[in-house]
Amino acid sequence: ALSSVASAQALKPAEGVSILKDFRFRSGESLPELRIHYMTLGTPRRDAGGVVRNAVLALHGTGGAAETLLNPLFTAELFGPGALLDASQYFVIFPAGIGHGRSSKPSDGLRDRFPKYGYRDMVEAQYRLLTEGLGVNHLRLVIGTSMGGMHAWLWGETYPDFMDALMPLASAG
């Protein structure tokens, strides 16, 4: 187990920020720019038709951020060499949800003028991050814990043809 933790610590995620222009929330409010921070492991692979076949969306719980799921004890079991979602085989995307981590949030300055948002807005931002920001047009899997698990359920309802499988963990459905 210690060697798998060490190899997981060697995984170096790439990170970035996607700026989603003219983001409209379900409340009817909008922001000219919504910032979504993300981290990735691995490389996207496209089939002959240009469809990404190895992308996995990994979603954090309430109070978490992109980095939450990159704890070496967690990554050793899921993303390390030979693990279930080995980063040498899969392109794993870890977005920070609206209001979390380094994504746009009320405390950035708008405070109570920040648009009211919910899970559906967060899933829409994830979808736009994938399609507009990262050029991902298909997911192999959406996996999420707690709030991220609730997002996974919404992915299945909102974009049923975009992914092959859902894996909501520790969430109601």
Side-chain angles (χ1 to χ4, degrees), residues 13-76:
E15 69 179 297
V17 172
S18 185
I19 304 297
L20 307 179
K21 301 285 188 186
D22 301 315
F23 192 87
R24 186 161 197 77
F25 294 81
R26 294 205 179 260
S27 66
E29 300 165 283
S30 63
L31 285 176
E33 293 185 339
L34 179 70
R35 185 179 66 254
I36 299 296
H37 175 257
Y38 64 89
M39 301 178 94
T40 64
L41 290 173
T43 305
R45 293 195 180 100
R46 296 181 185 278
D47 65 15
V51 176
V52 175
R53 293 294 176 189
N54 69 329
V56 173
L57 184 63
L59 304 170
H60 64 78
T62 305
E67 299 85 354
T68 306
L69 298 176
L70 288 167
N71 173 316
L73 292 172
F74 192 71
T75 56

Side-chain angles (χ1 to χ4, degrees), residues 33-123:
E33 293 185 339
L34 179 70
R35 185 179 66 254
I36 299 296
H37 175 257
Y38 64 89
M39 301 178 94
T40 64
L41 290 173
T43 305
R45 293 195 180 100
R46 296 181 185 278
D47 65 15
V51 176
V52 175
R53 293 294 176 189
N54 69 329
V56 173
L57 184 63
L59 304 170
H60 64 78
T62 305
E67 299 85 354
T68 306
L69 298 176
L70 288 167
N71 173 316
L73 292 172
F74 192 71
T75 56
E77 298 302 321
L78 275 180
F79 310 114
L84 191 61
L85 296 171
D86 184 331
S88 70
Q89 301 297 314
Y90 292 93
F91 178 53
V92 189
I93 305 120
F94 305 88
I98 299 169
H100 295 77
R102 289 179 268 168
S103 291
S104 293
K105 55 186 159 297
S107 62
D108 290 340
L110 290 177
R111 307 233 183 269
D112 63 349
R113 294 185 322 275
F114 193 88
K116 309 305 178 267
Y117 63 94
Y119 286 178
R120 290 187 184 280
D121 298 306
M122 296 168 93
V123 168

Side-chain angles (χ1 to χ4, degrees), residues 151-163:
H151 290 178
W153 289 118
L154 284 173
W155 267 92
E157 179 182 310
T158 309
Y159 304 106
D161 298 326
F162 197 83
M163 81 292 301

